[in-house]
């Protein structure tokens, strides 16, 4: 008998819409809420998720904020609510939060110099 299993990182975007004036650039923007997580897959079927972290990215300038886990869980459950500035913690300035590989398209929030999927330099 053999087992095929793996541990990978995943991202889930939520259908959440709240228009605000950005504190960073002063333009009108929209909160884009997403969750990053780690998942254990058995036979290519996701079975267990952990290390869930919720983030908000501004549509205008790309600045990323970490969202409190209790608010993130409520948004994931589909609850309608308003995100307040005190619920957010600044994580990055502008579009530099995620790195995307030019070769294979792998996206990561880690500070790698080389792509963990194909090995090319970011």
């Amino acid at each position: 008998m053999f087992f095929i299993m793996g541990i990978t990182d995943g991202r889930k975007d939520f259908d959440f819409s709240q228009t605000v004036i950005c504190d960073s650039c002063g333009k009108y923007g929209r909160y884009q809420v997403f969750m990053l997580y780690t998942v254990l897959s058995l036979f290519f079927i996701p079975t267990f998720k952990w290390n869930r972290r919720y983030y908000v990215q501004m549509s205008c300038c790309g600045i990323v904020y970490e969202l409190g886990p209790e608010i993130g869980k409520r948004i994931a459950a589909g609850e309608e609510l308003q995100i307040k500035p005190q619920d957010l913690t600044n994580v990055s300035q502008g579009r530099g939060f995620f790195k995307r590989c030019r070769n294979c398209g792998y996206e990561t929030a880690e500070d790698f110099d080389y792509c963990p999927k194909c090995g090319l330099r970011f």
Side-chain angles (χ1 to χ4, degrees):
M1 184 187 321
F2 65 94
F3 289 100
I4 299 174
M5 61 184 274
I7 297 175
T8 58
D9 292 328
R11 174 181 169 147
K12 181 176 181 181
D13 295 318
F14 296 112
D15 186 27
F16 181 83
S17 181
Q18 180 179 337
T19 305
V20 295
I21 296 176
C22 182
D23 291 336
S24 179
C25 67
K27 297 179 183 176
Y28 282 105
R30 186 175 54 85
Y31 285 151
Q32 299 169 336
V33 180
F34 62 94
M35 174 180 65
L36 297 180
Y37 57 90
T38 306
V39 64
L40 171 70
S41 299
L42 296 173
F43 296 104
F44 306 106
I45 299 170
T47 56
F48 181 68
K49 292 180 186 176
W50 73 93
N51 198 20
R52 293 181 176 131
R53 297 174 316 269
Y54 299 93
Y55 294 96
V56 172
Q57 185 171 19
M58 292 299 299
S59 63
C60 54
C61 63
I63 192 167
V64 177
Y65 298 99
E66 187 167 3
L67 185 62
E70 58 281 341
I71 303 293
K73 288 177 186 175
R74 290 172 60 192
I75 291 172
E79 189 175 326
E80 291 291 326
L81 56 94
Q82 295 287 326
I83 297 175
K84 300 174 188 138
Q86 59 265 27
D87 297 330
L88 303 172
T89 305
N90 192 344
V91 175
S92 79
Q93 296 293 328
R95 303 257 178 223
F97 184 68
F98 290 101
K99 291 184 178 180
R100 179 179 285 267
C101 180
R102 295 179 307 238
N103 184 45
C104 67
Y106 179 76
E107 190 175 87
T108 182
E110 301 294 325
D111 192 25
F112 295 130
D113 290 331
Y114 295 90
C115 176
K117 297 290 183 187
C118 68
L120 288 180
R121 190 173 186 85
F122 276 114

